[in-house]
Structures are given as C-alpha cells and as structure tokens.
Amino acid sequence: MSMLLRLLDNVSIRRKFIMVYTIGILVPIVIGAVVWISFTSREIRQNTVHYLDQSFEKTAGNFNLLTQTAINVANQINADVTLRQDLSREFSTPVEHYEIYWFFLRNRFNMYLVSNPDIASITLYIDDTNFINVDHFRVLDDLTKQKEWYILASSDTSDFTIYPHSTAISVTPPQNRITIIRKVRSPDFLNNAVNYLLIELKLDRIISELNSEGESIDTYLTYGDNRIFWGTQLTNTSTDPQFLHTPSDDKYFILYKSIGTSPYFSDWKIYGIFDRNQINRRQLVVLVYILLITLSMAGLSVFIIWSVLNSMRYRLLALSSHIKKVGENYFEPLELKNPGKDEIGWLIIAFNKMITNINELINVVYKLEMQKKSMEIENIRAKYKYLQAQVDPHFLFNTLNAILVFCVKNNYTELSSVISSLSKLLKRLLTPGNDFITVSEEFDFIEKYLAIEKFRFGGKFEYEINISPEVINSGFLIPKMSIQPIVENACKHGLQASIDERRKLVLTAKIDSGALVISVKDNGAGMDKKQVEEILEKLKNPNSEIGSDSETGSGVGIQNVYRRMLMSYDKRFHFSINSSPGHGTEIIMRIEGE
C-alpha cells in the first residue's frame, strides 16, 4: 500500500482524475449496463410468456364458464317433467295448439336467455309431425334432418354434440357462434323418440378478449384437427386457411391451452403465437435507452471532472508560478479574481497572508534604526514638555498665593476668599488622580466653583447644597467633573438670563430605593416643552451635537455629561429635564445601584 501511495504521489493530478473516472465511474457504468441488459432481456421474455399464459388462462376460464352454463341449462331442460307434459297436451285445431303455446310454453326458455346474455337462442326440435312450429319449438321434419347439424348430432353416440356454427334459420347466419346440441328423450314422451335441444352461444366476448392482445400476438381458436374457428391469420403457414399450421419454434414463441368443458370440448384450443423479433425489438429499445442513459451519465461525469480539474489546475499553476517569483524576492500577494473558498482557496489566502507578514517584517527590520533614532528624539522632547508642564502650574499657584497674601494684608476679605477658592479649584483641575471620585468630593469642588460664580454675579444669587448622610456613607463613586458642567450650564443659561433678583440654585444628592439621585435646580428663565424635547432628542442621537446658542439655552457641557454617564453606567443611568418658561429648570440624574 505504501508503495502504491508513493507511485501515486508522482502522478499528475490530471492523470489521477482520469484514473478515478475510469475505475470509479466508467467501468462500473459499463458493467452495470451489461448486467442490466442481460437482466431486462430475460425479464422481457419471462414477462411476455407469463402475460400470454395469464391472458389465455382468463379467456379459457370464461369459455369454460360459458359452455358449462349452456350444458347445465340443457340438462335442466331435459329433466323438466312439466315441459314434457305441456308438450304432450292434445289439440285438434291450430287455435287450440296456439292456446297451449301461449299459456304453457311461451315463457319456458326466457328466464335462461335473460340471465345468460351470451346465449343467443334456445330451440327444441320435436319429433312429432302433428306439432306446429312456434317460436322456440319446431318440428323435426325431413328438411331439418338434411341439415349438417342434425347429421352430425344423430351420428354421435353421445347425448351432447358441439356444432361449431350457428343453427339459426337465416339467409346470412351470424358469425362467431357455436351450438350445443342435447338429445332429449324419455319413455313417457313421444314413445322415447329422440328430440334435439339446440343452445346457440355467442363467442363475441371470448373473441374480443383474444383480439385485445394486439398486433404483436397472433391468436387462434381451433377445434378438431386444428380447424380454425377464429384467427388473425398473421402467421398461419398452412395452404388451407381453414386449418392452422404453426410456424417454427426458432422464430416464434408458441403457447396453446385447451378450453371447454370436458369431454365435450376436448379438441378445442386457443393458440398464441408471438414473434421472437418483437422481443428483440423491445430489447433493442431498452438497449437504446440504457445506452443513452449511460452516455449521458458518462458525459455529465466527464464535464464535472473537467470543470473541477480545470478549476484546481488554474489556481495551482498560478500559485506555483507566484512561488517562483517569491524566490526571486518579489514579495507581493497573489491576486486572483476568485481564489475560491475550498482548500486551494484557503491555501492561496494563507499564502498571501504569509507574504504580507514577510513583507511587513522586512520593512520593520529595514526601518528599525531610523525608528530608534526618531524615538530617542521624541523621548527627549517629551521629557522637556513634561518638565515645562510641571513648571507652569507651580508658577501659577505661586502667583495666586502672592496675590492672596497681598489681599489679606490689605483686608480685602471677599477678594481673598475668591482667590483662595480659585487657587484650590485650579490645583484640583491640574492635579492628576483617579477618574472616579465620591459625591461629596464632587460637591466640594462645585461649592468652590459656585463661590467664584457668586462673586462674579456680584452676590445677586444664592445657592444651596444638600447631600444626605446616606450618600456620604454609601461611598457612591461618580466620574470626575460629571456634575459641575450641569451647574455651570444652570448659572450661565438659567440664572444669568433671569430678571428675578432672587435667583437661586439648589444642588441635592440623595438615595432613593437604592439609587443615587442628583438634582440641579434653578429658578431662572426656564425653557418651553419644545426646547426640552429637542435637547433630549439630540442627547439620544450620538451623531448630533447641542450648540450653546440662546435659542436652545444649553451647551456642549450637558451632552458630555450625558455621554460620560452612559459610558460608565449604560442602562443604569436615567436622565430627565423638568422646565417651563419663567419657572426655572431642574435636571435629574438617577443612577441605579448594582
């Protein structure tokens, strides 16, 4: 097995596909077609013989039933004592004879004719010269005795005689009929004279069944020494068309079956002669279909294998050619319109990724020295800026402290308080630390900011800061500078625009059902419902920005606070605005507990 695998490793993909197609597809298809042809040929022969046998068995059964019924009717009439008594009634005039017929004999045979539609007629010939012919009853006179059926029946020692023709009195006798002749005699009737009961049968239904086999089957109904009663006369080789001479078994399938009630129909047969060429033609049709199916399957498989092979070969050749270019220091990805999503496609994608990584690695190594020198220069520059950033705040703090000392010495108490608050405020802003602080630390920072704002307003507004002990004890952390922009917005756009001399701002923090609630409320100019809805709509739209014009009465500070809170608390953060013109504005921020 390992040797076979090594040999296959040295075979091209095209030849491998040809081997797979030949061994795995073409050979099984050919073998299957041969087996199928052999099997179907045998099945066609068996099915044809079986079909003929079943068809003839059915026809023979119907013929047997028809003849047995007629024989039973003949026996019943022969055993009918009342019929013989009625026939023995004396009459002196034709009128009396007709009265006997009308009242006693008229409906004797009707019940047999009605119940058996294949019985054409029933006639009783009576050996009594005084009897008058009426309907089903006739006199056996000298003229009748000269007829062929009488000669055949009178010479027969049996009580039953089968006459293969019609016995009806007609210029043109009906075709396809046979007559069952029964001798009727009894010691108590006409001195045991021999009378003849004729039951004529219609064989149209039997012949119709034989004729329904179609032109491919030659069928015959024979009697005696193969004398033809009925036949299609397609294969009869006899010089006398009245007799059947079967053709050679080499060219035809010949099937025959005896029919009729024994022993009266012992020499009656039905023949079926089927041309073997018909079977050969059927086999040829099957062979053509099989060949068409086989060729179609072979052609389809060739097309599929060619398509798969061409797809693989095109991409593999492109990949092989590009690998040679990479060996010549050409580090560019392989560009194909459709690399595919199969194993070869993934191989091309992996190859392109490897080339890209190699190319990037070469660029990194090539530029490493320049980057090192650039990084050294940037480090020196950053250190310089860091030292400079440290000097400027200290200089600013020292300057504010010098002004503060000057104000204290000259008793500028109010100014010194404002400068002190400003100094602490700047120090807080410029001092690095954590991004999250407690609520009390944020409120302490806001209190210093409000002290400066009160000085700027000339003492024309008051502020009130309320923080509940639950908030202080909870240690609830909020983002740094998350409340101050709201307070600044209230001072700038709420209180400053108000004409009321009793301007006031109230800042509240409390715990409500485990949630932190922060409220910034002013009694300034306020906003109408439309302005409030516009602000809330823009806050919910991340792509919009809220301006600081007087029309909206807000600024970017409130938007920054809203987005920072959403980033920190997501769905736990709730924001609402309550405002009306002339009654101020209240902004409520609620942060649910974890």
Side-chain angles (χ1 to χ4, degrees):
M1 179 61 70
S2 60
M3 183 178 296
L4 177 61
L5 294 177
R6 285 197 298 271
L7 290 175
L8 291 176
D9 291 340
N10 298 324
V11 178
S12 65
I13 294 179
R14 176 182 293 180
R15 292 183 179 179
K16 288 178 182 177
F17 269 95
I18 293 175
M19 292 172 58
V20 170
Y21 170 74
T22 303
I23 298 174
I25 298 178
L26 184 60
V27 172
I29 288 177
V30 173
I31 294 176
V34 173
V35 173
W36 192 9
I37 291 172
S38 176
F39 176 76
T40 52
S41 298
R42 185 177 67 254
E43 285 295 314
I44 289 174
R45 290 194 298 268
Q46 292 177 352
N47 290 339
T48 301
V49 175
H50 179 71
Y51 170 76
L52 286 175
D53 185 67
Q54 292 293 322
S55 178
F56 282 7
E57 187 70 31
K58 176 184 176 183
T59 303
N62 291 334
F63 188 86
N64 294 344
L65 179 62
L66 175 61
T67 55
Q68 185 62 53
T69 300
I71 291 173
N72 292 339
V73 169
N75 289 331
Q76 290 178 11
I77 294 174
N78 180 62
D80 191 351
V81 177
T82 59
L83 175 62
R84 294 196 297 270
Q85 291 176 352
D86 292 336
L87 290 174
S88 300
R89 293 176 183 272
E90 296 182 356
F91 60 90
S92 58
T93 64
V95 175
E96 292 178 357
H97 179 270
Y98 184 77
E99 289 177 353
I100 293 173
Y101 163 75
W102 184 259
F103 291 105
F104 300 103
L105 302 176
R106 179 168 57 90
N107 295 322
R108 284 288 184 175
F109 299 154
N110 285 347
M111 61 179 179
Y112 301 114
L113 296 174
V114 172
S115 60
N116 298 282
D118 290 324
I119 298 178
S121 64
I122 301 176
T123 305
L124 178 60
Y125 282 87
I126 303 172
D127 191 9
D128 183 2
T129 56
N130 296 322
F131 196 82
I132 301 174
N133 294 331
V134 288
D135 200 9
H136 302 291
F137 304 93
R138 306 189 71 82
V139 177
L140 187 61
D141 53 16
D142 294 337
L143 182 62
T144 303
K145 292 180 180 180
Q146 296 176 5
K147 293 185 178 181
E148 183 179 1
W149 67 264
Y150 176 81
I151 297 173
L152 179 64
S154 61
S155 62
D156 193 352
T157 58
S158 174
D159 287 339
F160 282 92
T161 302
I162 307 302
Y163 181 65
H165 302 287
S166 173
T167 57
I169 301 174
S170 174
V171 177
T172 305
Q175 300 294 319
N176 302 329
R177 293 188 180 184
I178 63 173
T179 304
I180 297 178
I181 303 173
R182 174 70 160 90
K183 293 178 180 178
V184 178
R185 53 190 168 187
S186 176
D188 60 351
F189 180 61
L190 299 178
N191 297 322
N192 204 26
V194 179
N195 306 284
Y196 293 89
L197 177 66
L198 278 62
I199 301 179
E200 188 171 310
L201 300 178
K202 296 182 290 186
L203 300 186
D204 295 333
R205 182 164 57 89
I206 304 299
I207 292 174
S208 177
E209 291 178 0
L210 292 175
N211 202 27
S212 65
E213 304 302 331
E215 297 181 357
S216 60
I217 302 177
D218 193 15
T219 52
Y220 296 90
L221 176 61
T222 65
Y223 65 96
D225 297 331
N226 277 352
R227 183 181 291 271
I228 299 175
F229 178 82
W230 175 89
T232 54
Q233 296 286 358
L234 298 177
T235 58
N236 188 10
T237 59
S238 175
T239 55
D240 187 354
Q242 294 183 358
F243 292 89
L244 173 64
H245 187 274
T246 57
S248 173
D249 293 344
D250 297 336
K251 295 182 179 181
Y252 296 90
F253 285 108
I254 301 174
L255 180 69
Y256 69 92
K257 185 176 292 293
S258 297
I259 60 173
T261 304
S262 180
Y264 315 115
F265 290 86
S266 59
D267 56 352
W268 285 72
K269 298 182 182 66
I270 52 176
Y271 281 87
I273 303 174
F274 190 84
D275 191 354
R276 293 180 182 268
N277 291 329
Q278 293 284 345
I279 296 179
N280 295 334
R281 283 192 289 270
R282 293 183 181 180
Q283 291 175 345
L284 181 61
V285 172
V286 173
L287 176 62
V288 170
Y289 279 115
I290 292 174
L291 289 177
L292 289 176
I293 294 173
T294 302
L295 292 176
S296 300
M297 293 175 61
L300 180 61
S301 59
V302 167
F303 174 75
I304 294 175
I305 290 178
W306 177 84
S307 300
V308 173
L309 179 61
N310 188 56
S311 173
M312 295 175 58
R313 183 171 177 271
Y314 160 70
R315 292 178 292 166
L316 288 175
L317 287 178
L319 181 61
S320 175
S321 176
H322 201 77
I323 290 175
K324 292 180 181 179
K325 292 182 180 180
V326 171
E328 299 173 357
N329 296 327
Y330 180 75
F331 295 101
E332 294 295 333
L334 173 59
E335 299 293 339
L336 293 177
K337 292 182 179 180
N338 182 23
K341 295 183 179 180
D342 57 356
E343 288 79 359
I344 299 177
W346 288 113
L347 177 63
I348 293 174
I349 293 173
F351 173 78
N352 288 339
K353 187 175 182 180
M354 180 188 69
I355 292 299
T356 302
N357 292 337
I358 292 175
N359 198 13
E360 292 177 354
L361 183 61
I362 291 175
N363 292 333
V364 169
V365 172
Y366 182 76
K367 298 177 181 178
L368 184 61
E369 293 298 327
M370 295 298 296
Q371 289 180 351
K372 284 184 179 179
K373 292 180 181 180
S374 177
M375 289 175 63
E376 290 176 359
I377 295 174
E378 291 295 329
N379 287 335
I380 295 173
R381 188 178 299 168
K383 290 179 180 179
Y384 172 75
K385 289 183 178 180
Y386 178 72
L387 293 175
Q388 186 181 20
Q390 285 184 329
V391 172
D392 291 342
H394 285 293
F395 174 77
L396 181 61
F397 294 150
N398 292 335
T399 303
L400 290 174
N401 285 331
I403 296 173
L404 179 62
V405 171
F406 176 79
C407 291
V408 171
K409 287 181 179 181
N410 291 278
N411 293 322
Y412 298 148
T413 305
E414 186 177 2
L415 183 59
S416 63
S417 176
V418 172
I419 294 174
S420 176
S421 297
L422 179 60
S423 176
K424 293 177 181 179
L425 193 69
L426 291 174
K427 185 176 181 181
R428 167 73 181 281
L429 289 173
L430 298 174
T431 301
N434 295 328
D435 293 333
F436 285 84
I437 59 175
T438 63
V439 178
S440 58
E441 288 177 328
E442 180 71 12
F443 274 35
D444 183 59
F445 176 77
I446 293 173
E447 185 176 8
K448 294 179 177 60
Y449 169 76
L450 288 174
I452 297 173
E453 284 289 343
K454 185 175 181 180
F455 174 78
R456 190 171 68 87
F457 273 78
K460 292 183 179 180
F461 86 94
E462 298 293 332
Y463 63 86
E464 179 181 334
I465 299 177
N466 300 316
I467 180 169
S468 66
E470 290 86 354
V471 176
I472 298 174
N473 296 332
S474 67
F476 216 113
L477 298 180
I478 61 175
K480 184 190 296 184
M481 295 290 290
S482 59
I483 310 300
Q484 187 274 336
I486 304 296
V487 175
E488 180 181 357
N489 190 74
C491 293
K492 181 178 179 181
H493 300 288
L495 298 178
Q496 187 174 352
S498 176
I499 60 175
D500 192 352
E501 293 295 333
R502 295 173 297 176
R503 288 173 283 191
K504 186 176 182 180
L505 186 142
V506 179
L507 180 62
T508 305
K510 62 180 180 179
I511 298 296
D512 181 20
S513 301
L516 173 63
V517 180
I518 299 174
S519 171
V520 179
K521 183 176 182 181
D522 67 78
N523 60 352
M527 297 179 289
D528 58 23
K529 184 177 180 182
K530 182 179 179 181
Q531 291 175 315
V532 174
E533 291 177 353
E534 288 179 357
I535 293 173
L536 293 176
E537 183 66 26
K538 291 183 178 180
L539 287 177
K540 294 178 181 179
N541 186 3
N543 297 322
S544 65
E545 293 186 0
I546 302 175
S548 58
D549 53 15
S550 61
E551 184 179 348
T552 59
S554 182
V556 295
I558 187 173
Q559 192 171 31
N560 291 335
V561 170
Y562 182 82
R563 293 179 179 175
R564 288 176 63 197
M565 286 296 192
L566 279 181
M567 292 175 61
S568 301
Y569 302 106
D570 196 18
K571 295 182 179 180
R572 293 166 53 203
F573 174 68
H574 304 280
F575 185 89
S576 62
I577 301 176
N578 299 323
S579 180
S580 61
H583 294 83
T585 302
E586 181 181 13
I587 295 179
I588 301 174
M589 293 181 291
R590 183 183 179 93
I591 304 172
E592 302 289 345
E594 295 182 357

